[in-house]
């Protein structure tokens, strides 16, 4: 990177973050300073293992404390006040700083890497600050590992034409997924989830399936834009998604969905807890701990915890079923194999969508209500089919909105089925035109910005 | 290298040109894709009773029932339709040679209390370029339209209907009859929901918007100048909406205006306390629509 590259990118990143709320720059600065100094101290006292442990734990605790106060305090204060009416916890009038969960995890990951001697402590404060605040991935990831991103800031390489163009392609593709699919689906999903009690069961089912599509296109769209932006500057970020809805099991799904977070939890929590090298009961418990924390990481609400736990149970069931080698006798027949693969894909998608209901619902009560209505009150007739199309515009024109959304979902998923997305000039113009014409530009933000 | 840059520039210019041409064609001839069973373009040249209004008009009258008893009846209904827009729609219809025996214009205090705006973009689909520009002038009264609004109106609006018209048009057409709904089942609500929703649509002002007020006056003058027979009709609202002081204040202003202009104003009796008759505080359920339509028939 050129001499002025790092200060320039750092200034751009800080401006980007401070533009939203300059006061929260102090918070991120504190996080940077505490982890920067702690890492240097870890390196300094290389021989004193107990002191190193103390430094690491203190730094982790301080950073998690900030995260807990800003993200979880009001939630727990409310829950505890309800539980024990004699004690009243004051409500803090604070906004959740954008990206706090992401940059806190990235900074803590770096500290652990230094503690494990996987990387030397970064001496240059600007370079380290850029590692924490690098603008493409600051607000919603991917959560980068220090051994992957930090060395890239030191390499003095020019941006290749291929990198620049493939970066632009990713940005275009991400935008297409965000504004053409996610934001269109959001119109329906919001309408359904805002008042689930008044909706027909079929409408709730369609809304829940569309939320699965929305959250994927929204988050992976953002990740594509982030990875593409970084790539056009010459940096390679981790690919956060690998066609997750083509997964044929929950285990495979978690190797394809929000890859950077999954890796973080695996490397810094699951393996230190003992991973699967412990007794089977302890191993199961470890998985449930990791998934419940992963759920809570997304937000301060019981719905996220249930979402995480559900995935934990799904994953455990998946592991148990794997041991019995179900359906292995089919493997001889090719066509049966393909059919089975499709069924597994469908089942995985259904399970994931079921869990998303808890993720999206405002409360556990609403999530249970939605599930109850879908499973026990489902009725498919002409009137319910008609009602299930309406939430787009609340008039008959919804039919056209539904058709367009369906068409774009098919196009995008068909293209994404390929391993690598590469475009020619004409394709780029077509995608740009589609974004400009079919994009819904009324949405203000990305879903994962709230985490 | 130079050849490459030339290709990129040439392709970019061609793309921009194609985009602009398509945009012009879309805005000049969008009405080709309009429904044949609802909206302005589908209005027959001659008929008996033509209702013009908002979604409340669409939800309040059962066109099949009215047609069986009163001759040809048609509903021109766009969500959130306002006096200023209605005036332009009426002029547009007459310019297309539409001539009906009697016209019924909907009055809803909420749409008369806000500045001109478009909430149903189908209005833009059903109009030619000239009418679109008139709408733009209306929307610009007293404020500057933003780029995002221009973009939505001229570029993205109705793109779904246009690009899927081969499939969506027959389906949409099959769901309407003379501008009204066919076979759409809408259940009634409950008291709790209606009370809660009524609070959300409370009028923040007790005065009509000056531009809308002027449009009402222009509308009356227009009807008189063309010797058109017209009435102002108010569709039923849930009690909590209809008794609010701001609502009644604007209704009283309208009553005063219609009285001065010699235009009949009607608000038919209806069980405004019965939640089963309302889908929400301002729209009737299927049952409510049937009962209200029978009330309309009694009036005739």
């Amino acid at each position: 990177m050129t001499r002025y590259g790092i200060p320039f990118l750092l200034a751009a990143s800080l401006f980007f973050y401070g533009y939203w709320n300059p006061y929260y720059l102090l918070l991120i600065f504190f996080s940077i300073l505490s982890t920067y100094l702690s890492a240097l101290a870890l390196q300094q006292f290389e021989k004193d293992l107990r002191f190193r442990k103390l430094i690491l734990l203190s730094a982790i605790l301080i950073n998690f404390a900030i995260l807990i106060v800003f993200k979880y305090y009001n939630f727990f204060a409310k829950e505890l006040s309800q539980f024990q009416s004699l004690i009243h916890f004051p409500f803090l009038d604070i906004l959740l700083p954008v990206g706090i969960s992401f940059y806190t995890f990235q900074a803590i990951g770096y500290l652990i890497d230094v503690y494990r001697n996987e990387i030397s402590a970064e001496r240059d404060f600007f370079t380290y600050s850029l590692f924490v605040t690098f603008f493409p991935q600051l607000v919603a990831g991917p959560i980068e590992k220090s051994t992957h991103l930090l060395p890239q800031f030191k390499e003095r390489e020019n941006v290749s034409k291929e990198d620049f163009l493939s970066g632009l392609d990713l940005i275009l593709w991400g935008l297409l997924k965000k504004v053409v699919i996610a934001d269109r689906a959001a119109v329906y999903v919001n309408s359904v989830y805002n008042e689930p009690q008044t909706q027909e069961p079929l409408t709730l089912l369609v809304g829940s399936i569309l939320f699965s599509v929305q959250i994927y296109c929204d988050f992976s769209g953002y990740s594509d834009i982030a990875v593409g932006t970084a790539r056009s500057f010459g940096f390679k970020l981790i690919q956060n998604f690998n066609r997750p809805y083509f997964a044929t099991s929950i285990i495979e799904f978690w190797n394809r969905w929000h890859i950077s977070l999954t890796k973080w939890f695996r490397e810094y929590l699951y393996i230190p807890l003992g991973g699967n090298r412990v007794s089977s009961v302890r191993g199961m418990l470890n998985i449930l701990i990791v998934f419940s924390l992963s759920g809570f990481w997304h937000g301060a609400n019981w719905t996220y915890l249930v979402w995480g736990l559900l995935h934990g149970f799904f994953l455990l069931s998946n592991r148990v079923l794997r041991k019995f080698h179900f359906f292995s006798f089919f493997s001889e027949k090719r066509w049966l194999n393909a059919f089975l693969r499709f069924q597994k894909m469908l089942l995985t998608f259904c399970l994931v969508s079921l869990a998303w209901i808890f993720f999206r619902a405002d409360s556990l009560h609403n999530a249970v209500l939605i599930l109850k209505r879908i499973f026990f009150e489902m009725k498919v007739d002409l009137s319910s089919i008609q009602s299930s199309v309406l939430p787009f515009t609340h008039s008959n024109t919804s039919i056209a909105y539904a058709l367009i959304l369906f068409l774009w979902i098919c196009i995008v998923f068909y293209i994404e089925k390929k391993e690598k997305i590469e475009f020619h000039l004409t394709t780029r113009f077509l995608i740009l035109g589609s974004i400009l014409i079919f994009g819904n530009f009324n949405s203000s933000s990305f879903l994962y910005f709230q985490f | 290298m130079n050849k490459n840059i030339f290709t990129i520039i040439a392709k970019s210019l061609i793309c921009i040109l194609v985009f602009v041409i398509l945009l012009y064609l879309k805005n000049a001839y969008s009405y080709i894709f309009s429904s044949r069973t609802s909206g302005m373009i589908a209005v027959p040249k001659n008929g008996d009773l033509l209702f013009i209004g908002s979604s409340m008009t669409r939800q309040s009258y059962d066109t099949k029932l009215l047609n069986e008893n009163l001759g040809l009846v048609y509903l021109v209904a766009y969500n959130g339709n306002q006096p200023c827009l209605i005036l332009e729609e009426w002029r547009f219809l007459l310019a297309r040679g539409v001539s009906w025996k009697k016209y019924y214009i909907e009055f809803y205090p909420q749409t008369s209390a806000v500045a001109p705006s478009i909430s149903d973009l189908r209005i833009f689909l059903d109009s030619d370029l000239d009418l679109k520009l008139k709408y733009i002038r209306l929307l610009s009264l007293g404020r500057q339209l933003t780029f995002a609004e221009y973009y939505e109106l001229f570029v993205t609006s109705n793109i779904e209907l246009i690009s899927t018209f081969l499939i969506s048009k027959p389906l949409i057409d099959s769901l309407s009859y003379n501008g009204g709904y066919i076979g759409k089942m809408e259940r009634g609500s409950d008291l709790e929901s209606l009370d809660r929703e009524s609070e959300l649509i409370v009028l923040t002002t007790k005065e009509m918007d000056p531009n809308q007020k002027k449009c009402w006056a222009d509308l009356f003058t227009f009807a008189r100048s063309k010797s058109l027979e017209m009435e102002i009709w108010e569709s039923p609202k849930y009690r909590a909406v209809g008794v609010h002081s701001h609502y009644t204040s604007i209704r009283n202003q309208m009553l005063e205006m219609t009285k001065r202009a010699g235009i009949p104003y009607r608000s038919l009796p209806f069980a405004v306390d019965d939640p089963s008759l309302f889908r929400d505080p301002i729209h009737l359920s299927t049952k409510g629509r049937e009962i209200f339509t029978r009330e309309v028939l009694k009036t005739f």
Side-chain angles (χ1 to χ4, degrees):
Chain A
M1 208 170 179
T2 59
R3 198 173 146 199
Y4 302 108
I6 287 176
F8 171 74
L9 280 177
L10 178 62
S13 299
L14 293 175
F15 174 77
F16 172 70
Y17 195 72
Y19 189 78
W20 168 69
N21 187 337
Y23 295 109
Y24 285 156
L25 277 175
L26 291 174
L27 212 63
I28 201 167
F29 179 72
F30 179 78
S31 184
I32 293 169
L33 194 66
S34 63
T35 45
Y36 171 76
L37 292 175
S38 304
L40 287 179
L42 283 173
Q43 187 130 313
Q44 187 72 29
F45 301 99
E46 211 173 342
K47 299 275 156 48
D48 193 343
L49 282 178
R50 282 183 67 180
F51 191 57
R52 272 166 66 86
K53 212 171 243 177
L54 189 71
I55 294 168
L56 179 72
L57 283 176
S58 319
I60 290 176
L61 278 176
I62 289 170
N63 280 279
F64 272 142
I66 298 171
L67 182 65
I68 288 166
V69 168
F70 278 87
K71 193 164 178 173
Y72 302 100
Y73 171 80
N74 282 334
F75 169 72
F76 283 115
K78 192 179 129 210
E79 293 299 315
L80 287 171
S81 300
Q82 277 175 1
F83 180 69
Q84 175 58 270
S85 55
L86 292 176
I87 311 165
H88 180 71
F89 293 90
F91 179 81
L92 294 183
D93 190 15
I94 44 174
L95 267 178
L96 177 69
V98 169
I100 188 169
S101 312
F102 289 92
Y103 71 71
T104 304
F105 268 44
Q106 184 156 314
I108 287 173
Y110 160 75
L111 268 183
I112 300 173
D113 290 344
V114 173
Y115 176 80
R116 289 173 176 170
N117 294 321
E118 284 180 27
I119 192 170
S120 308
E122 177 56 55
R123 292 194 174 277
D124 182 32
F125 184 67
F126 286 159
T127 306
Y128 178 66
S129 301
L130 181 60
F131 166 70
V132 178
T133 62
F134 188 41
F135 74 91
Q137 42 99 230
L138 172 60
V139 287
I143 301 167
E144 280 294 327
K145 194 168 159 64
S146 60
T147 49
H148 182 239
L149 187 57
L150 265 172
Q152 291 187 52
F153 291 139
K154 298 183 181 270
E155 287 162 13
R156 287 166 185 257
E157 273 183 33
N158 288 328
V159 184
S160 69
K161 187 185 154 197
E162 286 73 27
D163 274 351
F164 182 74
L165 285 178
S166 72
L168 285 186
D169 287 348
L170 266 176
I171 294 172
L172 271 182
W173 189 245
L175 261 176
L176 183 86
K177 283 198 278 185
K178 165 69 180 159
V179 299
V180 177
I181 297 186
D183 290 347
R184 277 179 179 276
V187 175
Y188 190 103
V189 174
N190 293 344
S191 168
V192 170
Y193 272 78
N194 284 350
E195 281 193 327
Q197 62 279 6
T198 61
Q199 308 293 339
E200 296 275 340
L202 186 64
T203 312
L204 291 170
L205 178 68
V206 176
S208 301
I209 292 170
L210 279 184
F211 179 66
S212 303
V213 175
Q214 184 204 346
I215 194 161
Y216 167 67
C217 288
D218 191 286
F219 192 23
S220 77
Y222 173 80
S223 291
D224 286 347
I225 294 169
V227 174
T229 310
R231 196 179 292 173
S232 57
F233 277 94
F235 302 103
K236 289 189 172 59
L237 299 184
I238 183 174
Q239 268 296 355
N240 225 3
F241 292 87
N242 179 18
R243 301 166 296 144
Y245 291 146
F246 290 104
T248 53
S249 69
I250 292 290
I251 294 174
E252 200 187 332
F253 174 80
W254 279 106
N255 285 322
R256 291 162 170 255
W257 179 273
H258 204 171
I259 297 167
S260 62
L261 183 73
T262 311
K263 273 189 172 171
W264 195 98
F265 273 111
R266 186 186 299 144
E267 206 166 306
Y268 302 118
L269 185 66
Y270 181 64
I271 293 173
L273 281 173
N276 56 5
R277 289 158 304 155
V278 286
S279 69
S280 55
V281 177
R282 178 68 198 276
M284 285 180 186
L285 191 69
N286 285 348
I287 285 177
L288 290 179
I289 290 172
V290 169
F291 273 95
S292 51
L293 285 175
S294 160
F296 245 156
W297 175 88
H298 285 87
N301 197 334
W302 296 119
T303 50
Y304 294 115
L305 181 72
V306 174
W307 172 78
L309 279 172
L310 267 178
H311 270 284
F313 282 116
F314 291 158
L315 199 111
L316 287 175
S317 317
N318 195 176
R319 280 194 171 181
V320 172
L321 286 174
R322 244 187 195 185
K323 281 187 184 160
F324 292 107
H325 297 289
F326 275 147
F327 312 115
S328 55
F329 56 92
F330 283 129
S331 55
E332 298 293 313
K333 310 256 183 207
R334 228 175 123 191
W335 66 270
L336 260 179
N337 221 355
F339 178 66
L340 195 69
R341 201 180 142 71
F342 175 72
Q343 277 198 326
K344 282 177 169 178
M345 214 187 285
L346 199 65
L347 178 68
T348 308
F349 179 77
C350 290
L351 290 174
V352 170
S353 298
L354 185 143
W356 284 135
I357 292 176
F358 284 91
F359 195 91
R360 177 61 181 81
D362 297 337
S363 63
L364 281 180
H365 172 264
N366 275 355
V368 173
L369 176 101
I370 291 168
L371 282 172
K372 235 163 61 182
R373 298 207 64 196
I374 290 176
F375 283 106
F376 302 112
E377 295 171 29
M378 181 61 75
K379 174 180 76 170
V380 182
D381 52 23
L382 196 65
S383 162
S384 60
I385 292 172
Q386 227 174 311
S387 307
S388 72
V389 178
L390 283 178
F392 285 107
T393 60
H394 296 284
S395 71
N396 292 338
T397 54
S398 281
I399 294 170
Y401 284 76
L403 281 171
I404 277 290
L405 182 60
F406 178 71
L407 192 74
W408 274 110
I409 290 172
C410 291
I411 293 172
V412 164
F413 277 70
Y414 176 76
I415 293 174
E416 286 212 335
K417 226 177 133 222
K418 293 177 186 167
E419 287 289 332
K420 202 175 173 210
I421 297 167
E422 256 178 28
F423 302 129
H424 304 290
L425 188 60
T426 317
T427 335
R428 285 182 191 122
F429 278 125
L430 274 175
I431 293 176
L432 185 64
S434 302
I435 292 169
L436 291 174
I437 293 170
F438 291 100
N440 179 341
F441 300 99
N442 295 328
S443 170
S444 56
S445 182
F446 287 90
L447 282 176
Y448 261 68
F449 278 14
Q450 60 186 302
F451 306 133
Chain B
M1 182 68 186
N2 282 342
K3 200 185 160 195
N4 257 345
I5 290 173
F6 179 76
T7 313
I8 292 171
I9 293 172
K11 280 193 175 179
S12 306
L13 287 175
I14 290 169
C15 283
I16 292 168
L17 194 69
V18 170
F19 188 76
V20 171
I21 291 170
L22 286 175
L23 208 61
Y24 172 77
L25 292 174
K26 182 211 161 197
N27 285 292
Y29 302 104
S30 61
Y31 56 84
I32 293 170
F33 302 96
S34 294
S35 167
R36 290 288 170 262
T37 56
S38 64
M40 283 189 290
I41 300 299
V43 177
K45 289 264 189 270
N46 304 102
D48 298 297
L49 316 175
L50 185 68
F51 289 78
I52 308 178
S54 69
S55 55
M56 280 166 274
T57 292
R58 197 191 304 125
Q59 299 272 132
S60 302
Y61 308 99
D62 187 321
T63 38
K64 280 228 154 148
L65 211 58
L66 290 176
N67 272 273
E68 280 163 18
N69 295 279
L70 301 174
L72 186 54
V73 178
Y74 190 95
L75 315 176
V76 177
Y78 295 103
N79 299 341
N81 216 359
Q82 304 167 346
C84 289
L85 304 177
I86 290 174
L87 175 61
E88 292 306 336
E89 286 155 22
W90 203 4
R91 282 179 174 152
F92 177 73
L93 286 171
L94 263 57
R96 283 172 63 87
V98 166
S99 172
W100 284 53
K101 285 181 187 155
K102 205 158 178 182
Y103 298 88
Y104 297 88
I105 311 294
E106 174 198 286
F107 170 69
Y108 174 43
Q110 183 79 269
T111 51
S112 294
V114 292
S117 60
I118 292 178
S119 50
D120 188 346
L121 292 170
R122 218 159 41 97
I123 287 181
F124 242 62
L125 180 80
D126 293 351
S127 48
D128 58 13
L129 200 55
D130 184 47
L131 183 56
K132 283 187 176 85
L133 294 174
K134 282 180 181 158
Y135 287 142
I136 292 294
R137 274 196 286 277
L138 277 174
L139 299 183
S140 313
L141 287 171
R143 74 185 181 104
Q144 189 81 39
L145 276 181
T146 63
F147 173 75
E149 285 172 302
Y150 277 115
Y151 192 82
E152 186 181 22
L153 290 170
F154 286 108
V155 183
T156 60
S157 69
N158 300 304
I159 203 72
E160 298 81 5
L161 291 163
I162 294 170
S163 53
T164 63
F165 83 100
L166 282 176
I167 307 170
S168 63
K169 203 161 143 330
L171 283 169
I172 292 171
D173 285 354
S174 71
L175 296 169
S176 291
Y177 176 73
N178 284 355
Y181 283 135
I182 325 179
K184 192 182 177 193
M185 289 305 293
E186 279 169 314
R187 273 185 267 161
S189 188
D190 54 81
L191 284 174
E192 197 189 327
S193 308
L194 288 174
D195 285 333
R196 193 183 61 240
E197 288 163 11
S198 298
E199 281 172 30
L200 299 175
I201 53 168
V202 159
L203 277 163
T204 50
T205 171
K206 55 181 180 185
E207 295 297 330
M208 266 194 201
D209 174 75
N211 291 313
Q212 303 285 10
K213 196 172 181 174
K214 186 177 176 302
C215 286
W216 275 123
D218 290 349
L219 208 137
F220 298 156
T221 315
F222 175 72
R224 226 184 353 255
S225 68
K226 300 271 178 193
S227 306
L228 303 169
E229 209 179 324
M230 74 171 283
E231 284 189 18
I232 300 292
W233 278 40
E234 186 188 349
S235 61
K237 313 286 179 305
Y238 177 61
R239 179 177 294 280
V241 174
V243 298
H244 193 273
S245 60
H246 289 176
Y247 187 98
T248 51
S249 161
I250 294 176
R251 182 167 47 193
N252 290 339
Q253 289 169 45
M254 187 62 185
L255 281 169
E256 189 65 34
M257 282 174 74
T258 49
K259 203 172 160 187
R260 262 193 313 222
I263 307 278
Y265 182 101
R266 279 183 205 264
S267 177
L268 303 181
F270 193 72
V272 291
D273 283 323
D274 185 349
S276 71
L277 305 184
F278 290 92
R279 187 194 80 181
D280 60 51
I282 55 171
H283 296 110
L284 300 183
S285 64
T286 305
K287 186 181 162 193
R289 179 159 62 226
E290 207 181 305
I291 292 173
F292 183 66
T293 307
R294 294 203 184 280
E295 195 60 43
V296 172
L297 289 174
K298 266 193 239 169
T299 313
F300 283 98

